[in-house]
Amino acid sequence: KKIIERPTNSPHFSELFREVHQFCRTTASVTNVLSLLASIENNSSEFNFRSQEVNWQCSASSFCCRLSTCYSMYEDITIPIANEIRSIQRGLRELALANNTQSKKFIEIVIAQDKLLEFPFKHNVFLHPIVKDCSFRNIMQDLMLQFGADKACVGERN
């Protein structure tokens, strides 16, 4: 039997269990996610489904951040949970992008946001610029230019 030692000041596992189940009963409930999917697929009022999707994304991201900060000593449990939540987020975002009739700039911004969200985990494309220049500001400027932002909006490098 494996036993993992936790720091004495760590929150009780029951608190983590309660929060995860609360998230699963509310934000990530099957009915909630399926109704969001239906509104995206049916294109019911473009603003309505977009705001619902963005709201869900923010709630899910906040929950993942809470898991990683408040329950860092339970990372053997929280990391798989957060990864699955990120999978749902990615699927919803892809579906919303596929059904989005907004401008090309909006789609490019969302794609840039997605790349930034998966930065340390998925793409090694960013490793070269980081090694070459460790400035987050410069990396953001490069991304904005890559996705078609005006040079005037990006500003000049120092």
Side-chain angles (χ1 to χ4, degrees):
K1 184 175 181 179
K2 290 185 180 180
I3 296 176
I4 297 175
E5 295 290 328
R6 310 280 183 200
T8 56
N9 62 347
S10 63
H12 291 288
F13 179 76
S14 59
E15 294 175 28
L16 171 62
F17 184 83
R18 182 185 47 77
E19 286 198 38
V20 169
H21 279 272
Q22 177 66 23
F23 179 77
C24 291
R25 280 192 305 273
T26 56
T27 306
S29 71
V30 173
T31 54
N32 192 4
V33 173
L34 289 178
S35 69
L36 181 57
L37 281 172
S39 69
I40 291 172
E41 287 177 339
N42 296 335
N43 233 354
S44 64
S45 161
E46 195 171 316
F47 175 77
N48 187 28
F49 90 74
R50 194 169 314 113
S51 64
Q52 285 178 344
E53 189 261 341
V54 167
N55 185 35
W56 195 94
Q57 295 283 356
C58 290
S59 297
S61 292
S62 295
F63 181 72
C64 289
C65 287
R66 178 161 172 73
L67 284 179
S68 65
T69 57
C70 295
Y71 299 102
S72 60
M73 63 287 310
Y74 292 104
E75 67 182 9
D76 56 318
I77 297 165
T78 59
I79 289 175
I81 293 170
N83 286 342
E84 294 311 313
I85 292 170
R86 299 276 186 223
S87 295
I88 296 170
Q89 285 183 288
R90 184 78 179 163
L92 286 173
R93 178 57 50 96
E94 292 294 327
L95 186 61
L97 280 175
N99 289 328
N100 190 358
T101 59
Q102 274 284 342
S103 70
K104 183 180 176 189
K105 288 281 187 200
F106 175 78
I107 293 172
E108 289 174 348
I109 289 170
V110 171
I111 290 170
Q113 288 173 339
D114 286 345
K115 287 190 177 205
L116 287 172
L117 286 172
E118 61 193 28
F119 161 66
F121 304 110
K122 191 169 183 180
H123 293 289
N124 292 334
V125 175
F126 295 109
L127 293 180
H128 177 68
I130 290 175
V131 171
K132 185 173 70 177
D133 183 5
C134 278
S135 167
F136 179 76
R137 181 172 182 263
N138 289 341
I139 293 169
M140 284 300 298
Q141 287 175 342
D142 288 345
L143 274 175
M144 290 172 69
L145 289 172
Q146 178 183 346
F147 286 100
D150 281 343
K151 289 183 182 182
C153 294
V154 174
E156 301 223 6
R157 288 190 178 179
N158 295 334

